[in-house]
């Protein structure tokens, strides 16, 4: 397969981890006989420094022409001035909009070797393998909002949660297709006992579940109950689909289950066109340049990219298996190492992944 990927390293540890994920992708292309092309472009603070814009037009054009985009992270104290004309994060929001990425995918699958790093008991977390589909471009973050002055120095603020049928249908179908290729279980999370918008979600999803996807084991859970189930019985879920606000909160809650930010990838995808794949952690300015950042979340984001954007399932499985093998062999970066365990650096960790991948 010929595929072209855009690499957006961004700021802080971004260049250190994206360069390592690139090495893994290069090995995948050699090992499996593909031809991958990589184009590197600017985003975030570095783009502001070099062009004055956190998302230069050249970056947008290159992303649109690619099959997928791998992003490191953006931001850092250098660009934190609240009175600045623009900020690195603006680049991130705009790239999602430009590529019409309406679904955010976040897999939560703690590695067996790291279960003791989870804040929950091993027996609760064991066996957890959830894939969240969070709606990303609608709902309360994008509905009409206002703040008005009232007499007596009071103010009234309004944020509005708005969804239309097509927005619910398109993310539901993506999630349902994913459930079909996994364990066949799909959970929709809403607040239909209170919110009119949630009642629309329930009708639309229920209709699709009983017509197009009646082969799936489909259920609905209220968001407040879901917040509890995620920490009492996380292993009972497979694919979870929900709206923007609920997904934002639930995916952050769930990201605590595996015990380290440095292990978690995510993806944002649309109906057609390139998706955006990234680690969920930020640019970690406190460790940038020290060579100690954990590259595994970005390597796992690259695996997601292979699976979800160019359909290379076997290659994605191979990368994930290599990461698993490295952890099983006891290799740890400093964020994963427990007291007394030796911590290795970014490059050394990647070398172990490359070696494990070569051995398969
Ligand atoms: P952060 O995720 O960057 O760091 C939180 C803590 O986790 C830090 O102690 C950091 O050293 C550690 N950490 C993060 N990734 C790691 C890795 N791969 N290996 C080892 N340790 C790691 O969050 P923050 O400190 O709140 O934010 C720093 C900057 O990143 C801010 O400017 C923020 O706006 C930005 N940010 C960007 C994104 C993104 O680009 N998607 C996401 C979150 C935060």
């Amino acid at each position: 397969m010929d595929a072209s990927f855009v690499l957006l390293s961004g700021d802080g540890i971004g260049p250190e981890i994206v360069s390592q994920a690139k090495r893994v992708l290069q090995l995948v292309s050699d090992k499996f006989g593909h031809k991958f092309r990589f184009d590197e472009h600017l985003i975030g603070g570095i783009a502001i420094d070099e062009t004055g814009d956190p998302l230069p037009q050249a970056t947008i054009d290159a992303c649109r022409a690619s099959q997928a985009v791998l992003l490191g992270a953006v931001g850092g104290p250098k660009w934190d001035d609240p009175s600045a004309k623009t900020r690195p994060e603006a680049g991130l929001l705009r790239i999602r909009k430009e590529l019409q990425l309406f679904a955010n995918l976040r897999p939560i699958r703690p590695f067996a070797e790291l279960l003791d790093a989870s804040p929950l008991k091993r027996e609760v977390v064991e066996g957890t393998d959830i894939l969240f589909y969070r709606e990303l471009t609608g709902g309360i973050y994008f509905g009409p909002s206002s703040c008005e002055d009232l007499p007596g120095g009071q103010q009234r603020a309004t944020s509005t949660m708005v969804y239309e049928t097509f927005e619910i249908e398109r993310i539901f179908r993506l999630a349902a297709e994913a459930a079909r290729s996994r364990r066949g279980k799909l959970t929709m999370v809403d607040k239909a006992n209170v919110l009119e918008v949630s009642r629309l979600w329930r009708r639309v999803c229920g209709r699709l579940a009983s017509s197009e996807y009646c082969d799936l084991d489909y259920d609905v859970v209220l968001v407040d109950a879901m917040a509890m189930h995620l920490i009492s019985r996380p292993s009972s879920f497979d694919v979870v689909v929900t709206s923007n606000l609920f997904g934002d909160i639930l995916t952050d809650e769930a990201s605590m289950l595996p015990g380290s930010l440095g292990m978690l990838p995510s993806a944002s995808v649309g109906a057609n066109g390139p998706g955006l794949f990234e680690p969920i952690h930020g640019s970690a300015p406190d460790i940038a340049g020290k060579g100690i950042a954990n590259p595994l979340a970005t390597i796992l984001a690259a695996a997601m990219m292979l699976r979800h954007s160019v359909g290379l399932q076997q290659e994605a499985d191979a990368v994930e298996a290599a990461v698993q093998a490295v952890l099983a062999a006891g290799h740890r970066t400093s964020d994963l190492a427990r007291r007394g365990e030796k911590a290795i650096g970014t490059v050394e960790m990647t070398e172990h992944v490359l070696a494990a991948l070569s051995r398969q």
Side-chain angles (χ1 to χ4, degrees), residues 70-344:
L70 184 67
L71 173 86
V74 300
K78 180 174 176 196
W79 304 280
D80 268 352
D81 176 3
S83 62
K85 245 188 19 238
T86 183
R87 292 171 55 92
E89 290 75 10
L92 204 51
L93 294 180
R94 247 173 63 214
I95 188 79
R96 289 177 181 149
K97 187 156 170 264
E98 294 284 346
L99 300 180
Q100 299 181 352
L101 307 174
F102 62 79
N104 183 248
L105 282 61
R106 197 180 287 189
I108 303 291
R109 193 165 54 126
F111 284 91
E113 293 74 15
L114 301 178
L115 284 184
D116 292 326
S118 172
L120 298 187
K121 289 190 199 107
R122 165 179 276 270
E123 57 270 28
V124 174
V125 190
E126 211 154 34
T128 298
D129 181 1
I130 309 175
L131 180 56
F132 275 96
Y133 275 76
R134 164 191 168 194
E135 203 289 328
L136 202 57
T137 53
I140 198 161
Y141 297 163
F142 295 93
S145 66
S146 64
C147 185
E148 57 186 306
D149 290 327
L150 300 176
Q154 296 284 302
Q155 291 188 308
R156 177 193 292 132
T158 311
S159 297
T160 321
M161 189 185 281
V162 185
Y163 272 109
E164 296 185 28
T165 307
F166 79 95
E167 295 173 288
I168 303 169
E169 285 175 342
R170 65 185 181 182
I171 188 152
F172 184 87
R173 286 199 173 97
L174 282 187
E177 294 296 334
R180 240 178 211 162
S181 69
R182 288 166 48 100
R183 301 191 302 282
K185 189 168 177 346
L186 179 60
T187 303
M188 193 275 286
V189 178
D190 66 21
K191 187 72 184 168
N193 53 344
V194 177
L195 298 175
E196 192 57 46
V197 174
S198 283
R199 289 194 274 274
L200 179 63
W201 271 76
R202 202 167 272 211
R203 283 195 300 279
V204 171
C205 296
R207 169 172 53 76
L208 293 178
S210 61
S211 55
E212 294 174 33
Y213 297 100
C214 39
D215 52 313
L216 296 181
D217 173 7
Y218 173 69
D219 67 344
V220 293
V221 176
L222 292 174
V223 63
D224 39 354
M226 188 67 184
M228 296 190 284
H229 297 333
L230 272 180
I231 52 170
S232 59
R233 52 177 181 89
S235 61
S236 63
F237 298 98
D238 179 7
V239 176
V240 176
V241 60
T242 190
S243 60
N244 202 345
L245 172 66
F246 299 155
D248 190 4
I249 298 165
L250 292 176
T251 55
D252 266 13
E253 181 190 355
S255 71
M256 292 310 293
L257 301 177
S260 171
L261 275 183
M263 296 301 302
L264 288 171
S266 89
S268 303
V269 301
N272 305 298
L276 180 73
F277 298 82
E278 55 185 315
I280 72 156
H281 59 71
S283 59
D286 53 334
I287 58 166
K290 294 187 179 160
I292 59 169
N294 182 351
L296 295 180
T298 316
I299 290 171
L300 292 170
M304 281 188 89
M305 181 169 87
L306 295 174
R307 178 179 293 119
H308 292 282
S309 66
V310 284
L312 297 179
Q313 178 75 34
Q314 194 194 347
E315 289 78 346
D317 289 348
V319 173
E320 289 167 356
V323 169
Q324 172 111 42
V326 164
L327 295 172
H331 302 298
R332 302 282 185 268
T333 41
S334 57
D335 56 314
L336 302 176
R338 283 180 300 167
R339 196 181 296 207
E341 280 181 335
K342 177 177 175 249
I344 59 175

